[in-house]
Amino acid sequence: MPEETGKIVLPGELIGTSEEFVPRNGAYEDKGNIYSAVTGIIKTNPKDRSISVSPVTNTPPRLQIGDIVIGQITDVKDSVALIEIAGIKGKGEREIVGAEDAAIHVSNVKDAYVRELSLEFAPFDIVKARVLDLRNMRLTTVNKELGVMKAYCTNCRTVLKKDNDKLKCPKCKRIEARKLSSDYGKGVI
Ligand code: ZN
């Protein structure tokens, strides 16, 4: 019997008998034989004699070009800001499982010259951005509603308040600059 754990099988493939195993997820029994229900990898558990098949194909892409994503800035370098994506707007059924890393290149920040990327983003900022490219996971914030949604004072970590087109710390009065989303501070995504 092809019972070795780790083997990849196709739907309908014989993977064991009911004398040897109890079928679980991705497996079914028919007339004493156990078959795979999906394309996947066989897993057996000697303790409860179970056999299951973990699917490996037809996993839908988690992100698509044009998706609006929310994430947190993790690092700001000379030419790119790194961002950890936390969710996709309006796509509840495609919520991110585990964080995904992406980058915003200095040329994709805004519709104007960027002198210094550290004047547009800072670590811990919550950012709304659009997916430009999946292979390199590039995002853009060129749009009025895209950009920083929430930012923390780099001095005292207090949430910054919007003051005209700048941000002001209500605690230490520090003034900071960001590429702001028009939705900054509204708590809406
Ligand atoms: Zn402050």
Side-chain angles (χ1 to χ4, degrees), residues 153-158 160 169-174:
C153 176
T154 53
N155 183 40
C156 73
R157 296 275 161 247
T158 304
L160 296 168
C169 177
K171 196 170 165 195
C172 74
K173 309 300 176 199
R174 184 184 165 86

